Amino acid sequence: MPRKALENILYAEDENDIRAIAQIALEDIGGFNVKYCTNGKEVVDATRDFVADLLLFDVMMPEMDGPSALRELRQMEHYADVPAIFMTAKIQTNEVEQYKTLGVIEVIAKPFDPITLADTIKKAWADYYG
Amino acid sequence: MDSLFNWFQSGNMPERAVDGHYNWGLVALSFAVSVLAAYIALDLVGRYRIEQKKSTRYYWFTAASFTLGSGMWVVHYIIMLAFVMPVTQEYIAGWTAASMLAAIVSSGTAIWLLRNKSIQTYQLWLSGSVLGLGITFMHYLGMQSMLINFEIYYVPVWFIFSVLIAFGAAISSMFFAYSRGEPIVNKNRLNVSALLLGIGICGTVYIGLEGTVFFKALHNTRSDYFFNTIKDDQLAFFMVGLTVLIISVSLTASGYYKQMVNAIENEKEFLNVMLDNLEDGIIACDDTGRITVLNQYLQKNMDPSKPAKKLEDLTDLFGFETMDEKPVQGKDFPLTRAFNGDMIHREAFIMKFNDHIVRDVVIDGQQIINAKNKKLGAVTVIHDVTELKKTEKLKNEFVSIVSHELRTPLTSIRGSLGLLVSGIMGEFPEKAKKLLEIANSNCERLLLLINDILDIEKIEAGKMKFDMKTVSINEIIKESIEANKMYAEKFGLSLDYEPAAKDSAVTVDPDRLMQVLANLISNACKFSPQGTRVVISVIGTRDWVRVSVKDMGPGIPLEFQSRIFQKFSQADSSDTRGKAGTGLGLNISKTIIEKFGGRLNFNSVADEGATFFFELPVVMSDGSALLEDIEEEPPLPKKRLLICEDDDDQAEYLRVLLESAGFITDVANTVGAAKKLIAQHDYEALLLDLILPDQDGIAFIRELRETEATASLHIIVLSVIAQTGRSLMNGDALSVVDWLDKPIDFNTLLSSINRVKKRGDSELPHILHVEDNPDTQHVISVLLEKHAKVSKAGNLQEAKEMLEKNSYDLVILDLLLPDGNGTEILPLLARHHVPVLVFSATTLNENYAKFVSKALMKSNSSNETLLDTIKNLLKG
C-alpha cells in the first residue's frame, strides 16, 4: 500500500463535550481533517461520502457501538483495511484484549491528553505503516 | 453295653406298671412355655450376634443361654406335672439340678457356636447337634430324678425316636434361622424357627415319656436320697419363679433394645436434619454404589417421581457440565469418580436439574475409607456458588461502571483544563492561571484515585501486569521528584533528594515504581507541617538498594501501625481532612514492591515523623564497580569492629580493607588480647579466626555467650575450618552471624557485616534494669523487646559493676534490693548522666527526687504507661 500522510480521520464519539475537546486536539493541534459522528450508525452513513485514512471510535455509543461499527465497516470494500483506533474509558485488561481481537492498531485511554492526542495517533499510524 | 442294656431293662418287665394320664391344661402350657422360651432365646441370640459392645454382648449371651436352657428345663418339669400318676411324685434334687445344668450348658455352647457374623454350615450342624444333645440329656437326667418312687423302663424304639426329634428340631431350627447369613433374622423366619425348637423340646419329652414304663417301687429304692427330694408342689413354685425370671429378662432386654433403637433413630434423625439444612448438596453412596445420602438441597430441585437408588440413577436426576459447557457423563460423573478413588478438590461445574434450574457449583469429593482402610463408599459435597458468582459479576460490573462513568466526565474536564493550562488557547491572568492549575492538578489526583481503585481490583483478580525493565534507581527517583514537586509545593513543602554516591540498577516496571514513589511522596506531603522538608534518600549495598521517604510529621499512631497496609485504611478519619486518599495507596505499593522481589516497610517516631522505605534487589552487572560503590559508600560508617586473628599479614589486610570501607577496627592476635579490648570498647561485631595461639575459637565463642555483657555480640567467623566450626556449634548457629571460609571474599564479608546491621540491636537504646524480682525482670524485657536492649542487674553491686563497664541510655531502678536500697546508687547514676526511672513498689523519698527523672509505682502503672514513660525518657 502506498505510503501517504495521515490526513482524514473518521471520528465517532457520543459525548458533545469530549468531541469539542477532541476537535481542538485533532484539528487545531494535529491539523487533521475530521469527520464527526455521534454513534456507529452515523459512521456507517458517513462512509458514503467520506474517505478516511484512519478510524477513531469511542466504544460505548448509543444505537451502534464502536466495535459493531468497525465490524460493519470491515464488510465494505474500501473500508476493509483502514486502520482503526479505539479511544475509550473501558480499558480493563480483558476489554482491551477484546479490542485487539478486532484488529485495532491502538487503544487510547480516556481521559486522554488533548495536547498529545495527535502525536499518539501519528505514532500509531507510523508504527502501523512503518 | 451291659449297663445300657440294664438301663433299658429289656425283656424283664415287672407286672406292676403304673398308668398315668395327662392334665391337658398343663400340656397346653408346656407347649406355650416351650415356644415362648425358644422365641425369647432366639431373639436374644440375634442381639448377641449384632451387638458391638463387648460387655453388652456378654449380657445378651448369658441371657440367651439362661433363657433357652432354663426354659426347656421348665418345660420338661411342666410335662412331668402334666403327667398325673396315682403315686406321689418326688424328685431327687441332684438329678434335677444335673438336668438343668445340662440344658443351660448345651444352650450356651450352641449359642456360642453362633457368635460369628457369618456362620458356616458345619457350625449350624454343630450348634443344632449340641442343642439336640442338651435336650436329650436334660430329659433323661430329669427322668433319673424320679427314681424315688418308681422303677423306670425305657422302650428303645421310643427312646431313639425322642432323640431323633430333639436333634432334628434343634438342627432344623438353627438352619431355618441362620442359614441365610443375614445379620438380623427376618421376623417370620424367627417365629418358625422358635416354633420348631419349642415343639421339638416338648416332642422329645412327650415321646420320651411315651417310651417310658413306670413301675411303682416296692419300697423307697433310693432311700439314700431321702433327704434331698423335692415335692412336686415345690417344683411347681420353683418353675413359676424361673418362668417369671425368663419373662423379666425378656422384658428388660426388649426395653433396652428399644432404647438402643431409639438412640440410633435419634442420631440418624439429627444427622439427616443437619444434612438437610445445609446450603450445600451432599450425595453419598455405600460400597455397592447404593445411594445412602441425598440431602434436601438436592431433593428439592429434583424430579420427585424418579428414584435415586443407585449411582447410575443420578444422571437422570441432575447433570453436570464443565465450565466450558461440556456435559459430564458416565465415569466422569463426580460421585462416580470419587467412588472409583478420585480425589475431587474444589472443581467448578455447572449443575442442571430438570433443564431449567441451573446452579454454579464447586465440588469436593472422595472415597469414604474407615480407619481400617476399608472402603465404605464415596461422598461428594456440592457447594452452591451461584450467589457468590452473581456478586462477583456485580462487583466486576460496578468496577467497570466506575471506570467508565467517572472517566467520561473526567475526560472533558481534564481535556479542557489541559488545553487551558497548556497556553494553547492563549495566556490567562496570573490569578486565573493559578486557579486553572489547581483545578488541573486536582483533576489529575481524582484520576489517580480512580486508578487506585482499579488497581486494587486488578491486584485482587491477579490481573495486574508488569512490564519489567532494568533501570537506574537514580533516574526514576529524579523523575518522580520532578513529577511530584508541584504537589509538594501546594503543601508548602520541599522535596529533597539525597542520592547514593553510586547509582544502582534495579529490575522493575518503571511506571509502577513511579506509582509507588508518588504514593509515598504524596503520603509524606499530606502529613508534613508546612515549611518542612520531605527527604527522599537512597542508600545502597552490594545486594540491596533502600529508598526512603521521610517526613517531619506527627508520625504514625501506634494503634494504626498494625493496620497501615490494609486496604481502605486511614489513620483517623477526623485527621484526614484535606488529606484525601483512598486508603489504598500503601496496599498497592506494598504489593507492587513485593512483585519486584523487594519489601516495603516504615519506621515511625511520634512527633518526629515517619519514614517509609522500600528495598529492592540490585542487579549485578559488574562486580568490581559494585565493590567501588561500597568503598565509596560504607554501609556502616564509623562502626567499630574487632579483628581477632593471629596472622599479622591477614589481620593487616582485613584492617586496611575494612577501614577503607569506613569502619574503625582493632586487631587482637590472641583471645586474651581480644577479651581485654572487648572489655574496653563497644563493638559492632567480632571477626574471629578459630585457630588462635592461646585458646580455641569455639571455646571463646561459648565463653562470650555465657558472659552477659557479650552475650549478644555479633560474631563472624573467618577461618579455614569455618565449616567444621559451624558443625561444632550446631544448634547454636544463631549466635554466629556467619561462617566464612578463608581465603576471605571481601564482598561476602561486607554483606555479612551488613547483615549484622540489619539484625543487630546496636541501634536500640541500651537499658539497665536493676531488679531482683525475676517476674518483673521478665515483664520489662518482653515489654521493651522491640524498643531497647535490656541488661539486667539483680542487686546493687552487680549494677555498679555493669555501670563501670558499659554506658546505658536509661536505668530502670527498683528500690528494695537484696543488698540495700536503690537510692544508694542514685548519686553514682547522676555522675554517669543517665536518666533514671524508679519503678518500685515503695514510694521514693522526696530527698532523692532530684536524682530521678521519673518514678512509677509498680501497683498502679499499666504496661502502656510504663512503655510510654520509658520511650519519652529515652528521647531525652
Side-chain angles (χ1 to χ4, degrees):
Chain A
M1 188 170 186
R3 177 73 195 269
K4 129 186 212 296
L6 172 58
E7 197 179 319
N8 300 313
I9 295 179
L10 180 53
Y11 175 47
E13 165 65 60
D14 59 325
E15 283 274 329
N16 293 335
D17 295 345
I18 296 176
R19 259 200 332 273
I21 291 161
Q23 184 169 13
I24 296 172
L26 296 172
E27 291 182 7
D28 298 357
I29 301 176
F32 303 124
N33 173 33
V34 186
K35 169 82 181 172
Y36 297 94
C37 304
T38 63
N39 62 44
K41 280 256 157 58
E42 287 185 25
V43 167
V44 176
D45 292 341
T47 53
R48 279 187 225 127
D49 49 12
F50 187 79
V51 180
D53 303 321
L54 182 118
L55 308 169
L56 180 62
F57 293 168
D58 183 18
V59 170
M60 292 268 285
M61 291 182 291
E63 301 209 36
M64 189 191 279
D65 66 10
S68 308
L70 185 58
R71 271 186 223 107
E72 196 103 331
L73 263 57
R74 290 295 182 229
Q75 309 296 317
M76 303 174 184
E77 202 182 321
H78 56 295
Y79 270 98
D81 301 319
V82 180
I85 294 177
F86 281 155
M87 184 155 77
T88 175
K90 288 177 78 76
I91 47 156
Q92 291 191 65
T93 319
N94 57 337
E95 292 165 338
V96 173
E97 275 163 11
Q98 267 177 3
Y99 309 148
K100 291 277 161 77
T101 63
L102 291 172
V104 297
I105 62 167
E106 178 76 293
V107 177
I108 297 173
K110 283 180 183 171
F112 59 92
D113 182 355
I115 312 291
T116 59
L117 178 63
D119 286 344
T120 310
I121 291 171
K122 279 176 187 160
K123 185 170 177 297
W125 169 271
D127 287 348
Y128 180 66
Y129 284 109
Chain B
M1 211 50 208
D2 268 0
S3 61
L4 195 68
F5 193 79
N6 285 340
W7 195 62
F8 283 113
Q9 307 280 333
S10 314
N12 201 8
M13 297 268 188
E15 287 171 10
R16 321 180 285 279
V18 177
D19 270 340
H21 67 276
Y22 284 104
N23 174 337
W24 292 108
L26 285 174
V27 170
L29 181 68
S30 73
F31 274 97
V33 170
S34 182
V35 174
L36 180 72
Y39 179 82
I40 294 170
L42 287 174
D43 190 48
L44 289 167
V45 171
R47 284 160 209 191
Y48 162 63
R49 282 166 43 71
I50 58 167
E51 180 64 54
Q52 305 279 344
K53 225 167 101 188
K54 216 169 174 185
S55 57
T56 321
R57 241 178 107 82
Y58 183 71
Y59 168 74
W60 292 135
F61 171 71
T62 313
S65 312
F66 173 76
T67 306
L68 189 56
S70 57
M72 66 171 80
W73 181 83
V74 165
V75 168
H76 170 83
Y77 280 95
I78 290 176
I79 296 171
M80 294 290 106
L81 293 181
F83 189 64
V84 187
M85 282 187 294
V87 180
T88 338
Q89 290 179 25
E90 273 178 292
Y91 304 93
I92 300 162
W95 287 113
T96 311
S99 75
M100 186 167 177
L101 198 68
I104 293 178
V105 169
S106 66
S107 300
T109 312
I111 291 167
W112 180 78
L113 285 165
L114 301 172
R115 69 195 177 281
N116 290 334
K117 276 235 166 71
S118 60
I119 305 172
Q120 308 293 322
T121 316
Y122 81 87
Q123 284 170 320
L124 287 176
W125 280 106
L126 206 58
S127 174
S129 306
V130 168
L131 199 55
L133 198 66
I135 297 169
T136 315
F137 264 86
M138 182 268 302
H139 170 67
Y140 286 99
L141 287 173
M143 295 302 287
Q144 288 293 101
S145 71
M146 296 178 72
L147 289 178
I148 295 174
N149 299 320
F150 298 99
E151 281 172 36
I152 292 171
Y153 298 85
Y154 298 104
V155 181
V157 178
W158 286 104
F159 169 75
I160 290 167
F161 191 26
S162 75
V163 173
L164 282 180
I165 286 191
F167 276 74
I171 293 170
S172 62
S173 167
M174 290 298 108
F175 268 85
F176 218 91
Y178 303 111
S179 62
R180 287 279 184 95
E182 300 157 326
I184 298 169
V185 178
N186 170 295
K187 218 54 187 192
N188 292 331
R189 301 172 63 79
L190 193 71
N191 291 342
V192 173
S193 176
L195 206 61
L196 273 173
L197 188 58
I199 292 173
I201 293 166
C202 286
T204 308
V205 178
Y206 283 113
I207 298 297
L209 273 181
E210 202 53 46
T212 310
V213 187
F214 294 92
F215 297 92
K216 195 172 176 208
L218 293 175
H219 46 86
N220 259 353
T221 51
R222 299 280 190 89
S223 53
D224 48 328
Y225 290 114
F226 182 76
F227 295 104
N228 291 318
T229 56
I230 305 167
K231 295 264 182 325
D232 53 359
D233 50 348
Q234 288 171 329
L235 193 71
F237 271 117
F238 184 56
M239 288 185 313
V240 169
L242 263 184
T243 314
V244 168
L245 198 61
I246 291 169
I247 291 172
S248 38
V249 163
S250 150
L251 286 177
T252 317
S254 57
Y256 179 86
Y257 192 66
K258 204 167 181 181
Q259 220 175 6
M260 200 168 76
V261 169
N262 277 346
I264 292 169
E265 287 294 323
N266 284 345
E267 202 170 316
K268 212 169 155 188
E269 192 189 357
F270 174 82
L271 278 174
N272 280 336
V273 172
M274 189 186 79
L275 289 174
D276 282 346
N277 281 310
L278 288 179
E279 291 291 313
D280 293 327
I282 295 186
I283 328 173
C285 64
D286 63 15
D287 61 338
T288 63
R290 194 174 61 90
I291 301 299
T292 49
V293 176
L294 193 69
N295 76 343
Q296 187 61 33
Y297 166 86
L298 295 165
Q299 288 189 4
K300 74 180 177 201
N301 289 327
M302 284 172 0
D303 181 351
S305 65
K306 289 184 185 162
K309 292 206 168 149
K310 302 285 289 175
L311 255 178
E312 302 83 66
D313 299 337
L314 292 176
T315 39
D316 299 335
L317 299 165
F318 41 79
F320 291 105
E321 286 178 5
T322 55
M323 292 316 283
D324 45 10
E325 296 185 8
K326 287 192 189 112
V328 173
Q329 282 160 339
K331 274 199 287 190
D332 293 330
F333 206 73
L335 187 60
T336 314
R337 274 176 54 198
F339 185 74
N340 291 332
D342 250 16
M343 185 86 176
I344 304 173
H345 181 64
R346 303 211 79 80
E347 283 180 30
F349 292 98
I350 300 163
M351 189 174 189
K352 288 186 173 169
F353 298 93
N354 307 325
D355 293 331
H356 58 270
I357 305 170
V358 180
R359 312 293 290 174
D360 287 304
V361 297
V362 169
I363 295 183
D364 284 314
Q366 64 184 85
Q367 269 189 347
I368 306 171
I369 293 170
N370 72 3
K372 287 175 187 157
N373 236 351
K374 182 170 183 279
K375 176 180 160 182
L376 302 180
V379 63
T380 51
V381 181
I382 299 164
H383 310 283
D384 191 328
V385 293
T386 315
E387 294 307 313
L388 210 68
K389 281 224 161 182
K390 263 188 207 160
T391 317
E392 196 182 337
K393 196 163 164 249
L394 271 177
K395 190 179 135 200
N396 284 342
E397 275 170 12
F398 174 74
V399 169
S400 183
I401 288 167
V402 166
S403 162
H404 183 257
E405 295 305 316
L406 290 181
R407 274 162 191 269
T408 302
L410 257 182
T411 308
S412 304
I413 299 169
R414 185 184 186 244
S416 306
L417 289 171
L419 287 169
L420 291 174
V421 168
S422 72
I424 283 176
M425 318 306 294
E427 285 300 316
F428 291 91
E430 201 50 43
K431 279 186 181 166
K433 200 173 169 188
K434 178 84 192 160
L435 288 173
L436 282 172
E437 274 165 7
I438 291 171
N440 193 36
S441 68
N442 276 288
C443 181
E444 296 289 338
R445 279 187 56 214
L446 186 53
L447 193 57
L448 281 179
L449 296 187
I450 295 170
N451 290 343
D452 269 2
I453 294 170
L454 292 175
D455 277 351
I456 280 283
E457 165 65 21
K458 275 188 221 154
I459 285 172
E460 283 181 358
K463 285 180 192 155
M464 187 178 264
K465 285 179 181 163
F466 293 95
D467 185 10
M468 303 294 268
K469 286 177 188 146
T470 299
V471 291
S472 137
I473 192 79
N474 198 24
E475 287 304 310
I476 294 221
I477 292 172
K478 276 190 193 157
E479 209 177 309
S480 174
I481 288 175
E482 205 51 46
N484 290 286
K485 217 166 204 152
M486 289 259 288
Y487 183 72
E489 278 166 9
K490 231 178 51 181
F491 289 89
L493 301 167
S494 63
L495 296 183
D496 290 3
Y497 182 32
E498 292 173 1
K502 270 274 172 155
D503 193 13
S504 305
V506 288
T507 300
V508 294
D509 178 336
D511 291 339
R512 293 293 178 192
L513 187 58
M514 289 277 282
Q515 185 182 345
V516 172
L517 281 162
N519 174 245
L520 297 184
I521 292 171
S522 69
N523 281 348
C525 291
K526 282 176 203 163
F527 293 98
S528 289
Q530 200 163 7
T532 59
R533 308 182 306 149
V534 170
V535 182
I536 297 104
S537 59
V538 182
I539 51 169
T541 69
R542 187 166 153 274
D543 303 318
W544 291 83
V545 60
R546 176 191 281 211
V547 179
S548 311
V549 179
K550 181 173 168 35
D551 66 52
M552 289 159 192
I556 301 151
L558 209 59
E559 65 276 12
F560 179 60
Q561 292 188 359
S562 61
R563 290 185 291 123
I564 195 158
F565 292 113
Q566 285 172 13
K567 276 184 291 174
F568 298 105
S569 58
Q570 282 175 332
D572 174 3
S573 49
S574 67
D575 197 39
T576 50
R577 265 172 294 125
K579 295 168 186 171
T582 52
L584 294 170
L586 281 174
N587 181 282
I588 297 170
S589 296
K590 193 171 190 316
T591 310
I592 292 172
I593 292 295
E594 281 165 6
K595 289 275 181 199
F596 298 158
R599 63 184 196 105
L600 174 66
N601 215 330
F602 65 93
N603 292 319
S604 170
V605 182
D607 298 325
E608 277 180 27
T611 305
F612 279 84
F613 59 87
F614 58 82
E615 289 171 335
L616 293 172
V618 168
V619 186
M620 302 280 225
S621 47
D622 178 11
S624 61
L626 281 161
L627 181 56
E628 248 175 61
D629 274 7
I630 289 158
E631 281 173 356
E632 283 181 25
E633 185 207 323
L636 291 173
K638 302 205 175 55
K639 297 285 179 188
R640 192 181 271 267
L641 304 175
L642 177 57
I643 303 165
C644 189
E645 166 68 71
D646 60 331
D647 184 310
D648 281 332
D649 289 342
Q650 287 206 29
E652 183 61 13
Y653 164 77
L654 281 174
R655 192 185 66 75
V656 171
L657 279 178
L658 287 170
E659 287 192 352
S660 72
F663 296 97
I664 302 167
T665 56
D666 291 313
V667 175
N669 294 121
T670 62
V671 170
K675 281 180 189 166
K676 270 187 208 150
L677 283 164
I678 289 171
Q680 283 164 17
H681 302 286
D682 218 1
Y683 287 104
E684 180 70 14
L686 166 66
L687 312 185
L688 180 68
D689 189 353
L690 288 182
I691 307 169
L692 291 161
D694 57 339
Q695 198 181 340
D696 151 39
I698 295 289
F700 182 37
I701 296 177
R702 295 217 167 102
E703 197 179 317
L704 287 170
R705 289 298 171 246
E706 280 156 17
T707 315
E708 209 215 326
T710 56
S712 57
L713 175 67
H714 299 292
I715 301 172
I716 298 169
V717 170
L718 315 171
S719 175
V720 284
I721 57 159
Q723 298 315 321
T724 319
R726 183 199 290 262
S727 55
L728 277 172
M729 289 292 283
N730 198 18
D732 193 18
L734 278 179
S735 61
V736 171
V737 175
D738 216 339
W739 303 83
L740 304 176
D741 280 314
K742 282 182 184 174
I744 302 297
D745 173 58
F746 191 61
N747 285 344
T748 317
L749 175 59
L750 278 179
S751 72
S752 287
I753 297 173
N754 201 39
R755 269 214 296 286
V756 169
K757 191 190 169 198
K758 276 184 191 154
R759 191 203 285 177
D761 53 11
S762 61
E763 285 172 8
L764 290 175
H766 197 175
I767 295 177
L768 175 63
H769 188 203
V770 190
E771 169 71 65
D772 58 338
N773 181 335
D775 291 340
T776 313
Q777 277 183 357
H778 183 72
V779 168
I780 292 280
S781 63
V782 169
L783 191 64
L784 294 176
E785 198 173 36
K786 291 200 176 112
H787 306 280
K789 180 182 161 192
V790 182
S791 298
K792 298 163 202 162
N795 55 47
L796 288 175
Q797 189 53 38
E798 221 175 295
K800 280 178 199 161
E801 283 166 14
M802 291 177 74
L803 280 163
E804 290 309 317
K805 255 189 258 168
N806 294 297
S807 63
Y808 297 96
D809 300 298
L810 175 71
V811 174
I812 302 173
L813 184 64
D814 185 20
L815 292 182
L816 299 174
L817 292 160
D819 55 346
N821 193 301
T823 51
E824 288 168 31
I825 58 163
L826 283 175
L828 174 72
L829 292 171
R831 278 202 300 283
H832 279 87
H833 302 289
V834 187
V836 178
L837 167 65
V838 169
F839 186 55
S840 177
T842 56
T843 45
L844 181 72
N845 187 311
E846 273 179 21
N847 296 338
Y848 293 103
K850 63 178 174 185
F851 294 114
V852 173
S853 316
K854 184 93 185 172
L856 289 175
M857 289 286 283
K858 275 181 182 169
S859 52
N860 52 15
S861 308
S862 68
N863 284 351
E864 283 82 351
T865 322
L866 185 60
L867 187 58
D868 283 348
T869 310
I870 291 168
K871 278 184 174 169
N872 280 325
L873 288 173
L874 286 172
K875 264 187 258 165

